[in-house]
Amino acid sequence: MTPNGGCFSGSPGNCEDRPVWASPERVRYCPPDSVDRPPALRDEVDHDVLTLLPERLDTVVLIAAHCDDIVAGCGGTLLELCRAHPGVAVTAVTFTGGGSLREEEERAALTAFCPGARLQMAVLDLPVGQLPTRWERVKRTLEDLRARADPSLIFAPTTVDGHPDRRMVAELVPVAFPDHLVLGYEIVQHDSDLHQTRLYSPLAEPVLREKIDKMLENYGSQRDRPSFDAESTAGLARLRGVQCHARYAEAFRVTRLVLGMAPLTSDSPYAPGHS
C-alpha cells in the first residue's frame, strides 16, 4: 500500500503483488574493449575512462520531489537501463502532483521511459514548494518503501540541488537506504545549482533525441518552461558528454560507492586459529 492508502500501480496485479527484490550486487570493472561493454561505450567513450557495470540489476527505485524530475534528470539512462535488463522491476515514488494533470503526465511518461520493465508507481499529493514542512510524511514514505524494497540501484535528487523540495528529499534518501547505491541526478532550472560531477552515463544521439521527444510528448504542461526545452536538455547533455569523452551524457553524484575486489569472508583476523 502507498502511504496515502493506494496501491503502487502501473503494472498488472493488485496490492498483494510484490516484485521479488534482490540484494544489492557488486559492481564490476569492464575493460574498454570487452564484448560485455555496451556498444555506445565501446564506440564513443575514451579508453582511458574507467567503466563500472553492475553484475546484476534486478530492481530499481526512482524517487522524485516533483513530476518530471525523474525523466529530466535520468530519462536517457533509464531508457538504456530498461532495454538492457528486460523485465527489471522499477518502483517510482513522486511526492507531489497526485490527483492532478501532473499525475496523469507522470504515469504516462514513466511508462514510456521504462520499456519492458515491471513498473509500479505512486504519486503523492503533497504541496509543491512545501516538502520541508512535510518532513515526517516524506520520511515515513521512504521508510515504508525501504521496508518493502531492497533495490539494486536508486535514482534520486542530489543534496546540492537548489530547490528546497528536492534537496530535502535527497537528504532523507540515504537515511532510509543507508546501504544502497544512490545516484543523484541533476536538473537544469533557475533554482538549481550545477556542480562538478564524477559519474557519467554516456548517451548515444538517438537515445538523447528519444528522451527529448518523450519529455515533450508526455509533459505538455511543461513545454513553455525554458529549462524543459530541447536546447537546454541537449546543452547539458553535450557538456557532460565532453567531460567523459562522449558525445552526450547524463551525470550523477554518488553518496557512497563500495568496491569489492575479492569475496568477503566472515572470519575475523582476531579469531582463534589465525596466525
Side-chain angles (χ1 to χ4, degrees):
M1 300 291 289
T2 64
N4 57 353
C7 298
F8 282 87
S9 61
S11 61
N14 53 40
C15 293
E16 299 304 321
D17 296 326
R18 294 285 184 258
V20 178
W21 300 99
S23 300
E25 299 293 337
R26 288 180 299 174
V27 175
R28 63 184 173 86
Y29 168 62
C30 187
D33 296 321
S34 169
V35 294
D36 293 329
R37 190 182 178 91
L41 300 189
R42 291 201 301 270
D43 295 340
E44 299 190 22
V45 181
D46 189 279
H47 283 192
D48 293 332
V49 176
L50 176 67
T51 300
L52 298 176
L53 298 174
E55 290 182 345
R56 292 180 58 193
L57 192 59
D58 298 327
T59 59
V60 176
V61 164
L62 311 173
I63 300 173
H66 315 120
C67 296
D68 75 45
D69 282 358
I70 293 169
V71 300
C74 60
T77 301
L78 191 57
L79 284 167
E80 294 273 66
L81 184 154
C82 290
R83 287 178 176 141
H85 301 272
V88 62
V90 178
T91 296
V93 177
T94 303
F95 284 99
T96 62
S100 69
L101 171 64
R102 301 283 279 131
E103 177 177 357
E104 297 177 11
E105 292 179 335
E106 183 82 333
R107 290 185 178 278
L110 289 181
T111 300
F113 274 87
C114 298
R118 293 181 288 123
L119 176 64
Q120 296 181 312
M121 70 181 82
V123 182
L124 280 64
D125 58 357
L126 298 181
V128 175
Q130 299 182 39
L131 290 190
T133 68
R134 305 297 199 276
W135 183 89
E136 290 187 4
R137 176 77 179 280
V138 174
K139 186 172 184 290
R140 286 199 307 270
T141 300
L142 293 173
E143 290 173 345
D144 174 74
L145 178 60
R146 175 63 186 95
R148 299 184 304 101
D150 190 14
S152 308
L153 178 62
I154 300 171
F155 291 97
T158 174
T159 54
V160 299
D161 195 294
H163 196 292
D165 284 354
R166 288 193 290 266
R167 188 166 60 248
M168 192 272 288
V169 171
E171 291 171 351
L172 289 177
V173 169
V175 175
F177 294 88
D179 301 317
H180 293 76
L181 177 60
V182 180
L183 302 186
Y185 51 74
E186 59 181 355
I187 298 174
V188 176
Q189 286 189 337
H190 69 279
D191 53 6
S192 294
D193 297 325
L194 294 181
H195 290 250
Q196 183 58 53
T197 57
R198 291 289 183 264
L199 181 65
Y200 303 93
S201 175
L203 301 178
E205 184 173 352
V207 177
L208 175 63
R209 189 182 308 116
E210 182 181 5
K211 170 185 175 177
I212 293 172
D213 289 344
K214 289 182 182 297
M215 285 173 53
L216 298 178
E217 175 185 354
N218 288 285
Y219 292 103
S221 65
Q222 307 301 300
R223 291 174 189 159
D224 60 344
R225 287 169 42 198
S227 60
F228 205 76
D229 63 18
E231 288 182 316
S232 61
T233 302
L236 178 60
R238 182 69 185 106
L239 170 64
R240 296 314 191 191
V242 168
Q243 294 173 334
C244 68
H245 305 296
R247 184 65 181 174
Y248 301 104
E250 291 173 335
F252 303 90
R253 292 177 68 88
V254 183
T255 56
R256 185 184 297 110
L257 182 62
V258 178
L259 293 178
M261 296 301 183
L264 298 179
T265 66
S266 58
D267 295 336
S268 168
Y270 304 103
H274 281 273
S275 57

